[in-house]
Amino acid sequence: MTVLSRALAAELVGTGGLLAAVVGSGIMAQRLTDDIGLQLLANALASVAALAVLITVLAPVSGAHLNPAVSLAQAARRDLPWPHLPAYAVAQVAGGVLGVVIAKLMFDLAPLQLATTQRPGAGRWLSEVVATVGLVLVVGYVSRGRRDHLAPGLVALWILAAYWFTSSTSFANPAVTIARMFSDSFAGIAPESVLPFVLAQVTGTLVGLAGIHLFVLEPQEAS
């Protein structure tokens, strides 16, 4: 395999694994309890645990972006060649949908169903901006010299926190958003809610890039 094809395979498999964890843990949580708070806790813990492991394993291969917003930010910072960005995004979305299918099949459910969970409102859109800004800042921080080893923990911790302090429960990922459209479960998002979420995530990416420029120093600059 070429370096790029291996990286794209890693992004597809990694995003698939992430979505399998997000959707599968949501289904399991709904089956185990009717308490929505416990459902969210189970979903959040399983999702961020899987995310940390996937970043650790796949980062040496592709950077473990698992997220078109992260890939866009990395391309803007010249850590990913611009011509590779569309292929990364396609692999991530395809992997996300594949992960949803696998999760549904594991629980003997129809592999693809359009979600009916509406997620409207300016508060949720603002939440996606905030969650994505934070994620991009974290990625920018760990990408700058000798901090790559911090990526699994810091990214997972940010997403875990944002699960609970944002009203949207922190999708912060266009591939995750699109894929969750095909899961009519705890983790689902209705098709009509997808575009505003994605636009908010792109906005958050742009704001996060500005934040990196202002606040994230190279290690030698911080010393």
Side-chain angles (χ1 to χ4, degrees):
M1 299 177 70
T2 66
V3 172
L4 178 58
S5 62
R6 191 183 299 272
L8 295 178
E11 289 297 304
L12 185 146
V13 170
T15 313
L18 176 59
L19 265 296
V22 171
V23 173
S25 63
I27 295 169
M28 177 66 85
Q30 282 187 310
R31 293 187 176 184
L32 293 175
T33 179
D34 293 326
D35 186 313
I36 296 176
L38 286 177
Q39 291 174 0
L40 183 61
L41 179 61
N43 185 229
L45 291 176
S47 299
V48 300
L51 179 61
V53 171
L54 290 166
I55 292 173
T56 300
V57 172
L58 298 176
V61 181
S62 68
H65 300 176
L66 317 181
N67 183 338
V70 171
S71 296
L72 173 60
Q74 294 296 78
R77 298 182 61 246
R78 299 183 181 179
D79 288 332
L80 177 73
W82 278 107
H84 293 181
L85 177 59
Y88 261 61
V90 169
Q92 291 155 356
V93 172
V97 175
L98 178 61
V100 170
V101 170
I102 291 171
K104 302 293 282 301
L105 291 175
M106 288 193 295
F107 288 91
D108 296 317
L109 298 172
L112 289 175
Q113 296 172 309
L114 285 179
T116 57
T117 303
Q118 301 285 337
R119 299 180 187 268
R124 288 187 176 89
W125 304 335
L126 177 59
S127 292
E128 284 301 293
V129 174
V130 171
T132 310
V133 168
L135 176 61
V136 170
L137 282 171
V138 169
V139 171
Y141 173 79
V142 299
S143 295
R144 289 199 165 182
R146 302 192 302 277
R147 295 174 180 145
D148 290 350
H149 63 287
L150 299 175
L154 291 183
V155 171
L157 285 172
W158 173 257
I159 295 299
L160 177 60
Y163 247 99
W164 288 92
F165 78 75
T166 65
S167 62
S168 65
T169 66
S170 181
F171 286 42
N173 184 331
V176 166
T177 306
I178 293 168
R180 286 169 68 166
M181 177 176 67
F182 297 104
S183 173
D184 193 17
S185 65
F186 179 82
I189 178 172
E192 52 268 36
S193 298
V194 168
L195 181 58
F197 266 52
V198 171
L199 292 175
Q201 291 154 5
V202 172
T203 301
T205 302
L206 299 178
V207 176
L209 284 167
I212 291 171
H213 180 71
L214 289 172
F215 304 124
V216 178
L217 302 177
E218 297 287 355
Q220 62 271 21
E221 295 176 311
S223 59

